[in-house]
C-alpha cells in the first residue's frame, strides 16, 4: 500500500495490513486526516468520558482522526478500524509540546474510551501513536517533576583542606 500525507499527518506500519491480492494489484492508497476539533463541538458527556480516562493527564487538544483507503480508481472510503494498529504521526498544537512532559492519546470510539501511549519528537514537533480505531481523540499530557539536583560539594577556600579529604600536592614536572 502507498502512504499519502495529508494535513501534515502520516500513517505508518501499513505493511502489516492485509489486503486481497486483486486489490493490491490495482494499487491501494491510504491516508490520514488529523483535524483539530473545537471542544464546544463535543458533548459534555464525551468530554467527561475523556477526562475520566485521562486520569492525572491534562487535556491539550481534541482531534478527529480519520483514515481513508482507495483501491485502484474506485472511490475512497473511510476506515473506522483496521485489523492491526497503524502508526499515526502528526504535528500537534505547538503550545502542547514542552520539555519534561509525558504524552498520551485518549480515544473515544463508539462510546468507549481507551488510553494510548504517545511518543513525541520535540526536534520536529511531531507526535505519534499506534491505533486500530479512528474517531475522536484527545492529546493529553502530564508535566514530569524535575529531578532534584543533588547537592554538590562546596568549593573549599584556597589553601584549606575539605573535611574528610587531604591536600593534594601539585604534580612535579620535568
Amino acid at each position: 500500500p502507498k502512504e499519502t500525507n495529508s494535513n501534515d499527518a502520516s500513517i505508518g506500519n501499513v505493511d502489516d495490513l492485509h489486503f486481497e491480492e486483486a486489490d493490491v494489484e490495482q494499487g491501494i492508497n491510504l491516508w490520514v486526516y488529523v483535524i483539530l476539533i473545537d471542544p464546544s463541538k463535543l458533548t459534555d458527556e464525551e468530554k467527561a468520558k475523556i477526562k475520566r480516562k485521562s486520569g492525572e493527564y491534562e487535556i491539550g487538544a481534541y482531534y478527529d482522526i480519520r483514515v481513508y483507503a482507495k483501491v485502484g480508481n474506485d472511490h475512497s472510503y473511510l476506515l473506522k478500524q483496521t485489523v492491526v494498529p497503524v502508526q499515526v504521526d502528526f504535528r500537534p498544537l505547538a503550545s502542547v509540546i514542552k520539555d519534561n512532559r509525558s504524552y498520551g492519546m485518549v480515544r473515544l470510539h463508539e462510546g468507549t474510551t481507551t488510553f494510548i501511549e504517545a511518543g513525541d519528537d520535540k526536534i520536529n514537533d511531531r507526535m505519534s501513536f499506534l491505533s486500530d480505531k479512528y474517531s475522536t481523540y484527545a492529546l493529553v499530557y502530564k508535566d514530569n517533576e524535575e529531578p532534584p539536583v543533588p547537592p554538590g560539594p562546596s568549593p573549599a577556600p584556597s589553601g584549606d583542606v575539605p573535611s574528610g579529604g587531604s591536600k593534594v600536592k601539585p604534580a612535579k614536572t620535568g
Side-chain angles (χ1 to χ4, degrees), residues 153-157 160-167:
S154 301
D160 289 344
V161 177
S163 63
S166 61
K167 202 170 217 177

Side-chain angles (χ1 to χ4, degrees), residues 7 15 22 34 38 44 56-57 59 70 73 88 91-92 127 136 146 152 160 163 168:
N7 288 0
D15 292 337
V34 178
D38 183 326
D44 289 341
E56 60 188 21
Y57 285 71
I59 295 173
K70 183 176 183 178
N73 292 323
V88 176
R91 186 179 309 276
M127 189 69 51
T136 301
E146 294 282 339
D160 289 344
S163 63
V168 178

Side-chain angles (χ1 to χ4, degrees), residues 11-149:
I11 188 169
N13 293 1
V14 296
D15 292 337
D16 293 335
L17 298 175
H18 301 284
F19 295 97
E20 297 294 324
E21 189 173 326
D23 292 341
V24 173
E25 288 173 8
Q26 292 181 56
I28 299 172
N29 289 302
L30 297 172
W31 64 98
V32 62
Y33 284 100
V34 178
I35 304 161
L36 186 64
I37 299 175
D38 183 326
S40 68
K41 303 293 182 192
L42 297 173
T43 67
D44 289 341
E45 182 183 352
E46 290 171 326
K47 288 187 271 191
K49 281 183 172 185
I50 290 170
K51 182 61 183 157
R52 275 194 302 275
K53 187 55 81 172
S54 66
E56 60 188 21
Y57 285 71
E58 297 294 324
I59 295 173
Y62 295 98
Y63 294 94
D64 179 11
I65 298 181
R66 301 177 187 185
V67 174
Y68 289 88
K70 183 176 183 178
V71 177
N73 292 323
D74 289 343
H75 295 291
S76 60
Y77 53 95
L78 176 66
L79 299 177
K80 293 244 182 211
Q81 63 186 50
T82 51
V83 177
V84 295
V86 297
Q87 181 174 323
V88 176
D89 179 82
F90 70 103
R91 186 179 309 276
L93 289 174
S95 61
V96 177
I97 302 297
K98 294 202 170 129
D99 288 336
N100 212 29
R101 272 193 175 164
S102 297
Y103 297 95
M105 299 295 287
V106 176
R107 176 181 62 212
L108 176 61
H109 185 77
E110 298 179 353
T112 302
T113 54
T114 306
F115 184 90
I116 302 168
E117 294 290 327
D120 66 309
D121 174 358
K122 289 179 189 67
I123 294 171
N124 297 305
D125 295 329
R126 310 288 297 173
M127 189 69 51
S128 64
F129 64 97
L130 293 172
S131 186
D132 59 350
K133 296 178 179 71
Y134 316 103
S135 51
T136 301
Y137 285 78
L139 171 58
V140 296
Y141 66 89
K142 162 175 82 166
D143 290 322
N144 299 321
E145 290 184 25
E146 294 282 339
V149 177

